[in-house]
Amino acid sequence: MDMNTIEAVVPTTDPEQWRDGDAWLAGGTVLFSYGSLAFGPRPLTRLLDLGSAGWTPVTITAEGIDLAATCTVAELYSLPGTPDAISRNWPALDLVRPCCDSFVASFKVWNMSTVGGNLCTSLPAGPMISLCAGLDGTATILGPGGTSRTVPVAQFVTGDAANCLAPGELLRSIHLPASALSARVAFRRLSLSNLGRSGVLLIGRLDGGTSLVLTVTAATKRPVQLRFDAVPGTDALADALDEAIPADLYHNDIHGLPAWRRDMTYRLAEEIRAELAVPEGAPGLRVSGDFWPPPDPGQDVRGHHARGLNAQQEGA
Ligand SMILES: Cc1cc2nc3c(=O)[nH]c(=O)nc-3n(C[C@H](O)[C@H](O)[C@H](O)COP(=O)(O)OP(=O)(O)OC[C@H]3O[C@@H](n4cnc5c(N)ncnc54)[C@H](O)[C@@H]3O)c2cc1C
């Protein structure tokens, strides 16, 4: 879409230069598809272009991984295959590709759209939000006057297309800590249609082999995180979900009714609980949804949602 109200494109990463009517331009896959009238009460007049920021997309250290806000989805997808990442042997890197795959788009979109743009768009189905929240990521945010603050990604998104950024603030990077990357993880994701947007996306993490962190995204308007000292029982997990997610926090749009999202949240959360409660690779576990290898290699469950779970939406 043409952004025909734009008067200037300014290459900068300096929040001091931001003024009313400006938007940060990253990959532009949202800006150029929504148009310049969709971002507030007045049309956008300038784009502050991050294209020449020159930020290193991915930095790996013993402390974890730093993703620049300008890291593209394509760059993130290649991360687990890099020698540096392989040598760290972090199990939670297994989440990277399923999360990228949850961003169902062509290579053209993957090559342009950024991790930061995904967080700042703040859609419930933002898979980079799921990944970074699920791994206890911390966002670094730059403000005018050289100020900087950090916010847990799980709290960065505050609602459907809403986040904690003040006007003009710039998301600089996301830090994923080695402690979370070292954890065993489980992933479940469902869409109502083949190649559809995520309706439910849950990530489980077993920290230190004992405590469970469950991050619910896509089903809810903002990420919801539940923490347990030990893997709970089925009823305790359901009780915790009851308490953490009120009915009106489930998202409602064309990609899924709240009642379906709620049912699938409980179902997939229980699958994750069961998967992480037993030793890795235990046979006979149920794996619904997309993109996560079945524990039992003989069991073909990928794409299961298209065959079975949609029936639940229809009340079967
Ligand atoms: C086919 C297709 C499928 C898609 N599927 C999904 C999907 O499943 N889930 C989903 O969430 N989105 C989806 N999108 C939307 C979009 O592509 C992604 O959210 C993408 O990650 C946005 O990144 P971008 O770099 O292109 O953002 P841009 O378009 O450049 O920016 C988006 C918004 O974020 C702001 N912004 C960008 N970077 C920063 C920063 N560093 N600091 C502060 N503000 C910033 C911009 O000002 C703008 O308001 C899809 C788009 C297409 C075309």
Side-chain angles (χ1 to χ4, degrees), residues 22-34 39 44 47-48 50 55 69-71 73 102-106 109 112-129 156 163 165 168-173 189 196-198:
D22 286 355
W24 298 105
L25 169 64
T29 61
V30 168
L31 284 167
F32 286 99
S33 55
Y34 288 21
F39 294 88
L44 296 177
L47 296 175
L48 304 186
L50 303 174
W55 296 336
T70 47
C71 174
V73 174
S102 300
F103 187 162
V104 183
S106 75
V109 176
M112 293 304 294
S113 59
T114 64
V115 173
N118 194 254
L119 265 70
C120 295
T121 301
S122 302
L123 299 177
M128 304 298 115
I129 300 166
F156 179 91
N163 59 50
L165 290 179
E169 280 191 318
L170 174 65
L171 175 60
R172 169 63 182 84
S173 59
R189 182 255 192 199
R197 184 170 283 189
S198 307

Side-chain angles (χ1 to χ4, degrees), residues 56-99:
T56 305
V58 180
T59 308
I60 303 179
T61 66
E63 280 72 51
I65 295 177
D66 288 287
L67 301 174
T70 47
C71 174
T72 63
V73 174
E75 287 166 333
L76 181 64
Y77 189 85
S78 52
L79 163 64
T82 60
D84 204 3
I86 291 169
S87 71
R88 300 282 168 182
N89 213 14
W90 282 324
L93 283 172
D94 286 354
L95 293 170
V96 169
R97 288 185 172 170
C99 286

Side-chain angles (χ1 to χ4, degrees), residues 268-295:
L268 300 188
E270 170 55 21
E271 286 191 14
I272 285 176
R273 187 204 67 77
E275 179 174 329
L276 294 178
V278 297
E280 198 160 4
L285 288 171
R286 175 167 206 146
V287 181
S288 302
D290 313 317
F291 314 143
W292 195 248

Side-chain angles (χ1 to χ4, degrees), residues 5 24 69 86 91 100 110 179 187 213 229 234-235 250 272 289 292:
T5 60
W24 298 105
I86 291 169
C100 292
W110 273 28
S179 53
F187 172 97
V213 181
D229 291 339
T234 300
D235 291 345
Y250 286 99
I272 285 176
W292 195 248

